[in-house]
Amino acid sequence: VKHTAGTVYLVGAGPGDPELITVRGANLLREADVVVHDRLVSAELLSLAPLAEHIDVGKSRARHAYSQGEINDLLIDRAGRGACVVRLKGGDPFVFGRGGEEAAACKQAGVACVVVPGVTSAVAGPGAAGIPVTHRGLSRSLAIVTASIDASLGQPRLDYDALSRMDTIVIMMGRAGLAEVAAKLISAGRDPETLAACIENATTPDQRTVSGTLATIARLVDSAGMNPPIVTIIGPTVALAD
Ligand SMILES: C[S@@+](CC[C@H](N)C(=O)[O-])C[C@H]1O[C@@H](n2cnc3c(N)ncnc32)[C@H](O)[C@@H]1O
């Protein structure tokens, strides 16, 4: 693709390994005038755009960075000045990435916005540990949920009864809430012996996996001292790990 000036490209960077970006995403990075990126995006990918303006809008708990509204304004401002803007987001932009909000803000401002999908850690994280999210005869349904709750949105709680009946459950952003989610799944009737695994820093040289059961996984992750980013997979396919 040749980029179009004054456009915002919402590009999925993939789960961690810089080689797991799409060809289109890498080509757009090479042509970008401005790269607006998250904290987890690898330096190797950013080096594809050495002359572009780089803006790290990543949010960490210790250091407040840009609000979502400020990010939206930044994208609209730079594109409005005619720049080719790459908004580089971890994994896929539309899987717990707030890409939809950025696309909507662009549309409202009359700025062209193009989505370039990415490899999501929800699937690639377990995959990198040798765990398929579906498998013939073992799992034919997959739910991807977040354990993080934004109380300000007044969203209904997760439907744990329905969730507990899915063959495979993938939990994102679940480090803090993992024990609670596991306990609620068990209360909703899921067998506590269901296999579970947590994958930390999936697809990077620091990848680590801890395996256990629904009843034990939260404690095992604590004692292993695992830190985000972590993706958790619960279900029978965990038996196929590596
Ligand atoms: C804000 S969400 C963004 C997800 C992203 N859009 C995607 O499709 O992968 C961040 C969460 O993704 C998961 N995650 C992202 N990269 C990961 C990695 N390399 N290893 C394990 N989990 C990862 C973690 O659950 C993390 O808390």
Side-chain angles (χ1 to χ4, degrees), residues 145-149 158 160 171-178 180-181:
V145 301
T146 177
S148 115
I149 298 159
L158 281 175
Y160 282 97
I171 304 172
M172 322 269 292
M173 297 180 274
R175 173 70 178 82
L178 185 56
E180 191 187 328
V181 173

Side-chain angles (χ1 to χ4, degrees), residues 87-147:
R87 171 68 174 111
L88 191 60
K89 304 175 77 72
D92 181 274
F94 282 177
V95 179
F96 298 122
R98 306 190 71 170
E101 293 167 56
E102 293 172 10
C106 287
K107 181 164 189 199
Q108 203 176 10
V111 166
C113 178
V114 175
V115 179
V116 181
V119 175
T120 179
S121 63
V123 175
I131 304 171
V133 291
T134 69
H135 192 81
R136 218 158 81 96
L138 273 185
S139 168
R140 57 180 187 178
S141 61
L142 164 67
I144 301 172
V145 301
T146 177

